[in-house]
Amino acid sequence: MEKFLFYAFALLAIGSALLVVNLKNTARALFLFFITLFGMAGLFLFALADFVAITQIMVYVGGVLILMIFAFMLSNKALLSDMQNISTHFLSIPNWQSLLLSLGFLTVMIYGVITWQDQMPNWILENIKTGDIIQATDNNINQLGVKFMTQYVLPFEVISIFLLMALIGAAHLSRKEEQR
Amino acid sequence: MEELLIHIIVPIAIFGFVALFTLFAVYAERKIAGFVQDRLGPMETGKYGMLQTIADILKLLQKELITPKVADRILFATAPVLIFVAVFIGFSVVPWAPDFLPANTHTGLFFLMAVVSIDALGILMAGWGSNNKYSLLGSIRAIAQMVSYEIPVGLSLIAAVMITQTLNLNDIAFNQGILANENIYFLGLWDVSEIGGILAWNIFQAPHLIVVYIIFFIATLAECNRAPFDIPEAESELIGGFHTEYGGIRFAFIFLAEYAMMFLVSILGVTIFLGGWNTPLPNIGVIKMADWTTGLFWGIFWTLSKSLIVVGVQMWIRWTLPRFRADQLMSLCWKIMIPLAFVCMAISALWRILVMV
């Protein structure tokens, strides 16, 4: 049952992602992107990262996706048709770049599969031996909070400052020019 | 097999409840409107018009499904389902009685907030899919409002969660009455773990949560697009907002979602601030009123009655206050409620560290 659900979510994520990039209708593609994000959230659940899964839904669906749709609605038709024209030339520069990127990711993944197929890394084996593992029913929110405030406090603060910068930038851009 | 059956029966039971609640609530709403405006409300169908909403729903169910010619058919058809499902999933983590809830998860509250935010996507989908400028304007207004008001809702919930120290709605409800796992202090001073009742509710464990609850209540009114924050559906300027083009069973689903959302935010507020399924009656000496009125059926009774009272207040407000203007709505959110919520959050942190220890 779990295996079936895992493959269902994976299929949902990959299939909808493929459709998103192939659909001509940008509005539909954006709404379909929700399915991709939802499938990804489901996959996070299988990694016992329920908090990350929910954050994915909350931030990406509740925030980013809606902003993307807003941006789409507020942009004019000429701009949109420009964007759609790019994808018709198969061998234009963006395609080469994306091909390179995807090939790079594929290499990394194949490398990972080859190196870790025979045996799990030592640290995983050690943790299994000492029983230092997370169960599906564990409450790992507390652990996340403690880790964020101790071990990972610097990256956490850097991210918050980055977000603050984005906020200030947005406020500055949307402000009216002062009358002189 | 048995487990699978439970997984099927529980959602159906909740759906049945939501549908029944909607029928009842629409009738109550019209009667309250009648009372506030000094008229009778529905009187024709059945005794005191009691069958009015049943007649309404029968009419809606047998109506033809009309899709506008230029509408995006797929988006138009999926939007009502998405809107309803988003709200409906939210019910999966809300406790009704001690240990009586569909899903007992550690991330309950966070999960609820996340799935409810999908609702906004459905509304946008409805507005865009209808291909009607009134619908689009209505949905843009709705989203602007919902996204803004999600912040005070989130902040007020964080302020409460800082006190409770858990996101599990079941645990939150447990720690507000005589069944609590830890000692509860009324106003941080008086140990009421054995006394329970209204004194043990979160709003009295930390008195600033009363302010937080008011923020939460106002912000959730806006989340549900209820008056006085109903500019997304303003009939006088936008026909009907994002559901202008909908008819028949699709409209019924949007309507169902709206009332389900009202009930969901009420029961959520009740669970987090007003003691959940805990009884308001305290133990006084030998008169163990709290012990007598705690249990499965009492729990359901208290949850339901508290939530219905909150829904009643929502309706009362709807028919009392005039509609906000868009800029007033935004300045209320960003200039009053969010700063206030931040202050309350800071008080929560101090309260937890200095008073509750």
Side-chain angles (χ1 to χ4, degrees), chain A:
Chain A
M1 183 67 180
E2 273 177 16
K3 210 163 209 175
F4 168 74
L5 275 179
F6 175 79
Y7 281 110
F9 273 120
L11 197 74
L12 204 66
I14 296 172
S16 61
L18 280 177
L19 258 179
V20 166
V21 290
N22 278 320
L23 269 186
K24 279 271 177 264
N25 188 335
T26 321
R28 272 190 198 175
L30 279 174
F31 284 115
L32 198 68
F33 192 44
F34 163 65
I35 308 275
T36 315
L37 293 170
F38 190 78
M40 285 301 297
L43 291 180
F44 278 129
L45 278 184
F46 281 95
L48 297 187
D50 43 356
F51 197 80
V52 181
I54 298 168
T55 314
Q56 162 107 349
I57 296 276
M58 187 129 178
V59 173
Y60 280 90
V61 178
V64 174
L65 187 54
I66 288 188
L67 283 184
M68 279 166 77
I69 296 171
F70 254 71
F72 165 73
M73 284 176 175
L74 295 176
S75 47
N76 53 3
K77 271 189 180 148
L79 193 75
L80 282 178
S81 57
D82 265 11
M83 269 169 58
Q84 277 166 348
N85 282 338
I86 293 171
S87 56
T88 51
H89 306 293
F90 180 68
L91 290 179
S92 54
I93 296 167
N95 279 347
W96 278 111
Q97 287 171 345
S98 56
L99 199 68
L100 217 66
L101 260 179
S102 50
L103 275 180
F105 271 114
L106 190 67
T107 332
V108 170
M109 277 199 280
I110 289 172
Y111 175 76
V113 169
I114 288 171
T115 32
W116 286 322
Q117 203 173 26
D118 309 330
Q119 58 174 45
M120 283 187 263
N122 277 331
W123 59 273
I124 293 184
L125 288 174
E126 249 171 53
N127 282 358
I128 290 173
K129 224 177 274 170
T130 54
D132 190 12
I133 47 175
I134 298 175
Q135 302 290 340
T137 49
D138 279 358
N139 184 5
N140 47 25
I141 301 172
N142 294 349
Q143 291 171 22
L144 270 179
V146 170
K147 287 276 180 195
F148 264 137
M149 279 295 127
T150 52
Q151 196 175 352
Y152 299 103
V153 68
L154 184 66
F156 186 69
E157 294 297 328
V158 169
I159 290 170
S160 51
I161 287 177
F162 177 70
L163 287 177
L164 188 66
M165 278 159 61
L167 260 181
I168 294 172
H172 178 75
L173 281 179
S174 60
R175 213 162 69 175
K176 280 186 196 133
E177 290 282 321
E178 271 176 46
Q179 300 288 328
R180 286 186 190 171

Side-chain angles (χ1 to χ4, degrees), chain B residues 12 21 24 28 31 34-35 38 49 77 100 104 144 160 185 212 236 253 260 262-263 269 287 315 320 327 354:
Chain B
I12 291 175
F21 165 76
F24 166 75
K31 277 293 182 190
F35 175 72
D38 204 9
F100 185 73
N104 187 358
Y185 295 95
V212 176
S236 46
F253 263 103
M262 272 169 68
F263 189 78
I287 308 170
M315 289 173 180
T320 314
D327 61 319
L354 300 177

Side-chain angles (χ1 to χ4, degrees), chain B residues 57-74:
Chain B
I57 195 73
L58 283 179
K59 185 199 78 177
L60 276 179
L61 287 180
Q62 57 177 324
K63 260 182 157 180
E64 184 193 356
L65 289 180
I66 300 172
T67 310
K69 206 172 183 182
V70 284
D72 190 327
R73 303 191 83 87
I74 298 174

Side-chain angles (χ1 to χ4, degrees), chain B residues 107-159:
Chain B
T107 44
L109 180 57
F110 194 44
F111 175 80
L112 200 153
M113 284 305 291
V115 289
V116 166
S117 71
I118 298 176
D119 189 34
L121 192 76
I123 289 179
L124 207 51
M125 211 184 240
W128 179 263
S130 303
N131 211 344
N132 171 331
K133 58 186 164 197
Y134 294 116
S135 300
L136 192 58
L137 273 176
S139 71
I140 286 180
R141 280 182 179 189
I143 302 305
Q145 177 178 324
M146 287 174 86
V147 170
S148 316
Y149 275 87
E150 221 158 75
I151 299 167
V153 170
L155 287 176
S156 56
L157 289 179
I158 290 172

Side-chain angles (χ1 to χ4, degrees), chain B residues 45 116 152 188 220 311 314:
Chain B
T45 326
V116 166
T220 49
V311 170
Q314 285 180 343

